[in-house]
Amino acid sequence: MSQLISRATAGLVAVIIGFTSSIALIYQVVMVLGGTPDLVASWVLMLGLAMGVSSIALSYYYKVPILIAWSTTGAALLISSAQGYSLNQAVGAFMFSAALVFLSGITGVFEKMMNKIPSQLACAMLAGVLVNFGIDVFNFMSELPLVIGLMVAVYLCGKRYFPRFAMLAVVVAGFLMAGVTGQIDTSSWQWKMSEFAYIAPEFDLNAMISVGLPLFIVTMTSQNLPGIAVLKAHHYKAPVSAALNVTGLLNVFIAPFGGYAINLAAITAAICMSPEADKDPSKRYWASIAGGVFYIIMALLAATLVGLVASLPQALILALAGIALFATIASSLQQALTEAYYTEAAIVTFLVTASNLTLFSVGSAFWGIVAGTVTLVMTRKD
């Protein structure tokens, strides 16, 4: 029973963090394209169902904790790149991007590239992606000292006295303290059912080049690349091509309903791979399956949850993410620095990834791997 609760808690925390940390970006994308709040709910409904079903199917089939998520960086990119295009043209661009992801999977090109990256650099990149979430726990403590202070205290006590339920206790403590201190505004909550909204695609060449191609690049480099690194860092054999095939093909079909981009999760997937999810690494895929179930529940309640998320303080959600990732950050850094041969390259990878570097609309995770690889080649003493 305790293992079941631990797995379910890890899946729930991953979904809460993934949903609440980026729903505002999806809302902005829809508004930029001339949509309505009801359309936002429709997009979340379709995305949640797609992520839930694919997470459950991939995790169960491969017995590996594979969590699928919407592209957060892709949504951020769309806020600027999709301006001036219609919803129909944007959907055509989404389908074009998804087709490119599928092509990357079916040819196996991306998987061959990933297999050449040393695990130390993959771990360093993962640590760089996650470290700012850990730092934010303490950055936001000045904003919500009672709430976040209690969450950290409960986590530390939990790790010592009830490790399996530590994160569940943190979630409960954080939400209760936020409610007691008046940080949650329930006045905007309203029960409402979500409905699918079909948008006919229009394949505009300019939109495919200006919106679809950059969306493909950032999804692959800023989302799928870290997602694979998470799996490698936890010593799982990542079914890279299969995951790209599934997400790419599925994305083509859900795009007309608002499925702009789905991909391998990184930050939230790391929560499902942590020791808190299950002491036995071979059983942690059940945490991702639990996450998939919660995704589906989230999707069915999308219209209500969109309003609910607006009432929660962002600092609470980000602090929850950081606390949930403490163990993963520590483990990634430890593995990145296990061999002196890779130390300097790993540190460069970590520092570049942790920075805010963005070149040619490509984020720091990609450039971290590039910088680390160059450092390894340049400093090699053969």
Side-chain angles (χ1 to χ4, degrees):
M1 177 59 77
S2 62
Q3 288 183 338
L4 181 62
I5 294 174
S6 298
R7 297 166 186 167
T9 300
L12 177 60
V13 170
V15 169
I16 289 174
I17 291 167
F19 181 82
T20 54
S21 63
S22 55
I23 185 65
L25 293 176
I26 296 178
Y27 187 95
Q28 288 178 270
V29 172
V30 175
M31 295 301 109
V32 163
L33 291 169
T36 64
D38 285 341
L39 187 60
V40 176
S42 170
W43 283 35
V44 174
L45 170 62
M46 178 50 76
L47 285 164
L49 291 175
M51 294 186 303
V53 171
S54 54
S55 295
I56 293 170
L58 287 168
S59 296
Y60 185 76
Y61 184 80
Y62 289 102
K63 302 296 186 288
V64 169
I66 300 172
L67 198 67
I68 304 301
W70 56 46
S71 177
T72 302
T73 53
L77 173 74
L78 290 172
I79 292 171
S80 57
S81 67
Q83 291 187 17
Y85 294 101
S86 67
L87 276 164
N88 306 84
Q89 291 170 332
V91 167
F94 299 163
M95 295 179 74
F96 175 66
S97 173
L100 292 178
V101 173
F102 177 71
L103 186 62
S104 299
I106 205 74
T107 58
V109 172
F110 194 69
E111 182 167 11
K112 290 174 184 175
M113 292 172 57
M114 283 302 303
N115 287 336
K116 295 183 181 298
I117 298 174
S119 61
Q120 288 82 359
L121 299 194
C123 290
M125 185 188 72
L126 174 59
V129 169
L130 303 182
V131 69
N132 287 318
F133 286 87
I135 293 171
D136 279 345
V137 173
F138 305 99
N139 285 339
F140 286 114
M141 194 169 285
S142 59
E143 185 176 331
L144 295 174
L146 291 177
V147 176
I148 298 176
L150 177 64
M151 290 166 67
V152 172
V154 169
Y155 174 79
L156 296 176
C157 291
K159 290 293 287 184
R160 179 170 182 177
Y161 297 109
F162 42 92
R164 286 190 177 277
F165 309 108
M167 279 312 303
L168 178 61
V170 169
V171 173
V172 173
F175 278 71
L176 284 177
M177 181 58 76
V180 169
T181 56
Q183 300 294 330
I184 301 178
D185 179 14
T186 60
S187 62
S188 61
W189 292 9
Q190 182 181 3
W191 175 259
K192 192 175 183 182
M193 288 297 294
S194 305
E195 296 179 357
F196 291 110
Y198 175 78
I199 304 166
E202 180 182 331
F203 297 100
D204 178 82
L205 182 59
N206 286 334
M208 287 191 288
I209 294 174
S210 301
V211 179
L213 188 58
L215 179 61
F216 162 72
I217 292 171
V218 300
T219 298
M220 294 297 286
T221 58
S222 299
Q223 300 281 170
N224 281 321
L225 184 63
I228 295 164
V230 170
L231 288 164
K232 290 186 69 174
H234 289 84
H235 308 294
Y236 290 108
K237 182 173 175 55
V240 180
S241 294
L244 295 179
N245 291 342
V246 171
T247 56
L249 187 60
L250 180 59
N251 207 160
V252 171
F253 290 104
I254 67 172
F257 298 92
Y260 68 96
I262 58 173
N263 46 250
L264 287 166
I267 296 163
T268 49
I271 296 171
C272 294
M273 298 177 203
S274 67
E276 286 81 5
D278 199 301
K279 289 184 178 180
D280 184 355
S282 68
K283 301 294 184 183
R284 291 175 191 167
Y285 70 92
W286 284 107
S288 293
I289 290 175
V293 172
F294 286 120
Y295 268 142
I296 293 172
I297 295 172
M298 173 202 76
L300 298 175
L301 300 174
T304 302
L305 290 177
V306 168
L308 173 60
V309 169
S311 69
L312 297 174
Q314 190 71 0
L316 168 63
I317 301 303
L318 293 176
L320 179 61
I323 293 170
L325 292 167
F326 279 169
T328 301
I329 295 169
S331 174
S332 299
L333 282 172
Q334 184 179 24
Q335 292 180 59
L337 302 174
T338 51
E339 293 186 39
Y341 182 81
Y342 294 102
T343 297
E344 196 163 10
I347 286 297
V348 170
T349 301
F350 169 75
L351 293 174
V352 173
T353 304
S355 73
N356 295 319
L357 177 65
T358 300
L359 295 173
F360 312 111
S361 297
V362 177
S364 61
F366 173 77
W367 296 117
I369 284 292
V370 171
T373 303
V374 171
T375 302
L376 185 61
V377 171
M378 296 296 290
T379 59
R380 181 179 293 165
K381 299 182 179 75
D382 293 331

